[in-house]
Amino acid sequence: MPAAKPAPDATIVARDARRLSTLLEVSQALSGTLNLKSSMQRVLQILIRHHGVVRGMVTLLREGELHVEAIEGFDDRARTISYKVGEGITGQVAQSGKPIVVPRVSKEPEFLNRMPRRADVARNELSFICVPIVVQRATTGTLAVDLKFKAERDYESSVKFFGIVSSMIAQALNVQRLVEEERRRLVDENTHLRQELRERYDFSNIIGTSGPTRQMYEQVAQVAQTNTTVLIRGESGTGKELIAHAIHYNSLRAKKPFIKVSCAALPETLIESELFGYEKGAFTGANTRKKGRFEMAEGGTLFLDEIGDINPGTQVKLLRVLQEREFERLGGTETVKVNVRLIAATNKDMEKALADATFREDLYYRLNVFTIFVPPLRERKADLLLLADHFLEKFSREHGKVIKRISTPAIDMLMAYHWPGNVREMENALERAVLVCDGAVIHGHHLPPSLQTADSSGTVTRVSLKDAVAGYERDLILDALKTTRGNRAKAARLLDTTERILNYKVRGYGIDVRRFKTPEVGRRGPADAAELPRDIPVAASR
Ligand SMILES: Nc1ncnc2c1ncn2[C@@H]1O[C@H](COP(=O)(O)OP(=O)(O)OP(=O)(O)O)[C@@H](O)[C@H]1O
Ligand SMILES: [Mg+2]
């Protein structure tokens, strides 16, 4: 049997127990807050209280020098002291990454002892221990302590103990660094996203050059830089929200939030708590105070969408905010003042709503300071081709397809349609067309059924095989003629047929070949120019 180990000395057991409880306290001090300077201060205080430390100091490396981060037991003037790496014992520890022990400070010539001593710290003999603080294998600072000199002190075990404390400090520094990096990443990302938003809602992304659209641009430009309340009116899908965004991102408030409230989407009871927020305990379930959208939009713009649908009770409250720029949170008495620019939008017939008394006249006059009417798409058909091009490019890119253009018959169909759903309907129609298109050209049959009935489309009106095939054949011939600028021999070769057959079909379908011999027009290429129906002005590029 091996000899039994001698029982550990009772004083060593007591020392280890004390060290363990100290380490626990140290870890609590370091994890309690993100303010590391004050937690390091606490760590030094703990060491002084329990471990015979007379005074202590933490230095951190910044720009090649060690700066005092926390001190305890020194005069306050010591906070401004810094060491060069390699200078004195602290500097050597930082340089080598290895701890240094000076059992008797009075016997050590290298001991700089530049630190101003506090009057109440005794001038007895001291021992000095300095350990590096290592974060991710790089020395980033030092932990140094002065201990009362004791001849019997076990320096090796003391260095181990202070090494553990320093590695805990290192861990806390590392966490702080990660948090800081994450914060910086989020700030960068946020800046980037804001920039993207600003670009997305730049004027140049509102497509159109027709008279009514130009007039609208002028109004937007006029009002954007002011703080005036704007009411945007127009049918569904005309681009009201797009314009609200454009106003905000071209205003002086562009860097502040743009907050949207969809008044129609929220039930009556919810809308007030959404708009004005609530205090804790305002109603069952209100466990904490919540900011309303008015407060969230502070300094920026609040967009009240579908304002025509707002209930009478909320209309009264809204009127007060518009008049006095202040309100109370639900269940609260404190008056909240806000600096918010208001933009409202509606597709409702407001005159009728006023006549029916479903909308308050006084609120309407507050909102109706500067009104922008967004014309329906059918009244600005000159924008249609530009919009079609824009959406074609956008969705081709999004869906990774190479679609070059829209065939003449398909354009005729787009032009003939009355677009009750306005730009949104058109956007959807083109996305669908891009998705179902299997070649490089959008043809009439790629467009949604609602457009297929148009007379000018020349495509099927009834779904019979003969008509469908004929429609497709006609599309192909028109297309080939356009590519060859009306040259029938070339078109026949393209379609792998004879000129005689092509001529026969051209006559049969009543195709006017001269139409494809039109000279170059506008910004569109020569081939595309031919595809413009003759009665439509070519939109100049903005
Ligand atoms: N002039 C335009 N140029 C480019 N895209 C547009 C234009 N007008 C509208 N759009 C697009 O059409 C879609 C519908 O626009 P928006 O949501 O702004 O319409 P709205 O008037 O707010 O409709 P609703 O009344 O139904 O809410 C959006 O995807 C928008 O980007
Ligand atoms: Mg809208």
Side-chain angles (χ1 to χ4, degrees):
M1 275 223 342
K5 264 189 182 171
D9 189 330
T11 57
I12 294 182
V13 173
R15 184 199 69 191
D16 286 351
R18 201 173 63 234
R19 282 184 177 173
L20 274 180
S21 83
T22 302
L23 290 179
L24 183 67
E25 249 187 89
V26 165
S27 87
Q28 281 164 350
L30 287 171
S31 60
T33 156
L34 270 181
N35 179 354
L36 267 190
K37 225 180 167 98
S38 71
S39 354
M40 289 184 205
Q41 198 81 34
R42 288 256 304 122
V43 170
L44 294 176
Q45 286 162 2
I46 293 167
L47 295 179
I48 289 177
R49 200 162 345 115
H50 301 302
H51 288 278
V53 170
V54 179
R55 49 190 198 183
M57 163 174 80
V58 177
T59 64
L60 289 182
L61 203 55
R62 266 197 309 271
E63 286 146 19
E65 284 201 355
L66 290 161
H67 294 269
V68 171
E69 190 72 7
I71 46 167
E72 202 57 43
F74 288 101
D75 190 282
D76 255 353
R77 281 171 292 159
R79 290 190 189 278
T80 55
I81 286 180
S82 62
Y83 296 91
K84 290 196 176 56
V85 174
E87 177 190 25
I89 295 182
T90 305
Q92 282 173 29
V93 170
Q95 191 171 45
S96 67
K98 298 214 170 68
I100 292 183
V101 179
V102 182
R104 282 170 181 270
V105 168
S106 61
K107 302 251 159 65
E108 175 59 51
E110 278 218 49
F111 202 78
L112 286 179
N113 205 7
R114 288 205 314 233
M115 302 299 266
R117 191 187 293 265
R118 230 168 58 181
D120 55 339
V121 173
R123 288 176 178 271
N124 295 332
E125 179 66 293
L126 294 173
S127 303
F128 178 78
I129 296 181
C130 183
V131 290
I133 297 174
V134 183
V135 179
Q136 288 178 345
R137 288 198 219 113
T139 305
T140 48
T142 63
L143 164 68
V145 291
D146 286 310
L147 299 155
K148 278 187 210 109
F149 171 74
K150 274 192 210 155
E152 74 285 3
R153 191 183 287 282
D154 175 354
Y155 285 102
E156 200 179 318
S157 118
S158 293
V159 166
K160 259 195 201 143
F161 170 70
F162 290 113
I164 295 173
V165 175
S166 99
S167 71
M168 287 166 121
I169 295 176
Q171 185 57 26
L173 279 169
N174 197 22
V175 168
Q176 194 193 39
R177 199 170 285 179
L178 292 177
V179 168
E180 188 51 38
E181 263 168 31
E182 180 64 12
R183 201 188 66 83
R184 213 167 315 145
R185 196 185 62 75
L186 286 175
V187 167
D188 284 353
E189 185 175 288
N190 202 310
T191 319
H192 174 77
L193 286 176
R194 273 178 196 281
Q195 177 63 25
E196 223 169 63
L197 270 180
R198 208 164 309 146
E199 278 164 21
R200 172 163 341 150
Y201 294 111
D202 192 71
F203 280 141
S204 60
N205 284 314
I206 305 180
I207 308 297
T209 51
S210 66
T213 308
R214 276 178 203 277
Q215 223 174 346
M216 203 174 67
Y217 290 139
E218 272 165 30
Q219 287 181 312
V220 171
Q222 248 175 18
V223 84
Q225 301 277 318
T226 68
N227 274 325
T228 309
T229 301
V230 181
L231 179 63
I232 307 173
R233 295 181 57 181
E235 289 176 17
S236 178
T238 42
K240 296 186 292 294
E241 188 164 345
L242 193 69
I243 287 166
H245 273 109
I247 293 175
H248 172 76
Y249 287 104
N250 289 288
S251 77
L252 302 172
R253 297 169 176 259
K255 288 203 170 115
K256 296 291 173 118
F258 176 91
I259 303 283
K260 174 185 162 176
V261 189
S262 193
C263 302
L266 296 170
E268 280 192 23
T269 43
L270 249 182
I271 190 156
E272 286 178 19
S273 74
E274 274 301 321
L275 284 175
F276 308 116
Y278 50 78
E279 294 291 345
K280 185 176 172 177
F283 46 83
T284 5
N287 299 328
T288 51
R289 167 198 274 192
K290 186 174 172 279
K291 274 192 185 181
R293 308 268 173 113
F294 263 103
E295 273 178 270
M296 288 183 204
E298 176 61 33
T301 305
L302 184 70
F303 176 44
L304 296 171
D305 203 5
E306 331 226 6
I307 189 89
D309 297 325
I310 205 162
N311 68 74
T314 315
Q315 287 182 27
V316 177
K317 295 208 173 163
L318 206 55
L319 180 64
R320 175 166 165 229
V321 189
L322 286 186
Q323 274 169 344
E324 290 156 31
R325 300 278 155 183
E326 61 181 39
F327 60 89
E328 282 92 39
R329 299 187 195 97
L330 259 65
T333 48
E334 184 195 339
T335 303
V336 184
K337 284 210 174 290
V338 280
N339 164 19
V340 164
R341 198 248 183 105
L342 223 73
I343 302 179
T346 183
N347 56 17
K348 276 262 160 79
D349 180 347
M350 292 308 280
E351 286 67 25
K352 183 167 179 302
L354 291 175
D356 296 350
T358 51
F359 204 91
R360 293 180 66 102
E361 232 170 283
D362 43 9
L363 176 60
Y364 179 69
Y365 291 127
R366 281 278 163 186
L367 290 170
N368 191 22
V369 184
F370 190 99
T371 300
I372 297 178
F373 285 93
V374 191
L377 187 54
R378 62 182 171 280
E379 285 173 21
R380 41 177 173 141
K381 285 224 162 147
D383 293 341
L384 224 135
L385 291 177
L386 284 179
L387 279 166
D389 266 356
H390 168 76
F391 291 133
L392 181 67
E393 196 194 307
K394 173 177 158 191
F395 292 119
S396 303
R397 200 178 338 111
E398 251 173 50
H399 297 292
K401 291 205 167 180
V402 186
I403 299 177
K404 299 254 165 61
R405 60 191 175 84
I406 306 174
S407 75
T408 309
I411 286 184
D412 289 347
M413 285 165 74
L414 294 174
M415 294 303 294
Y417 188 58
H418 60 295
W419 299 108
N422 293 297
V423 186
R424 179 179 297 112
E425 186 182 7
M426 181 170 182
E427 190 173 11
N428 292 342
L430 277 151
E431 178 160 25
R432 176 189 188 273
V434 166
L435 281 173
V436 297
C437 179
D438 43 12
V441 182
I442 301 273
H443 288 291
H445 62 275
H446 293 135
L447 295 173
S450 48
L451 275 75
Q452 303 288 349
T453 51
D455 293 343
S456 61
S457 70
T459 53
V460 279
T461 48
R462 267 179 305 119
V463 189
S464 90
L465 180 64
K466 187 163 165 268
D467 289 352
V469 170
Y472 189 52
E473 188 175 55
R474 183 175 178 272
D475 275 7
L476 288 176
I477 294 173
L478 282 172
D479 223 55
L481 283 169
K482 184 159 60 168
T483 312
T484 60
R485 301 258 226 117
N487 182 327
R488 296 185 210 201
K490 281 191 191 163
R493 272 203 298 284
L494 259 184
L495 292 170
D496 206 10
T497 183
T498 63
E499 198 176 343
R500 197 176 63 82
I501 293 181
L502 188 84
N503 276 331
Y504 169 75
K505 302 239 180 220
V506 163
R507 269 197 306 279
Y509 288 125
I511 296 171
D512 180 5
V513 179
R514 279 170 309 178
R515 177 178 175 189
F516 300 100
K517 294 186 171 155
T518 326
E520 190 170 331
V521 200
R523 74 175 183 92
R524 298 166 73 93
D528 292 321
E531 118 190 330
L532 296 176
R534 281 140 299 175
D535 49 343
I536 292 150
V538 175
S541 76
R542 276 198 287 133

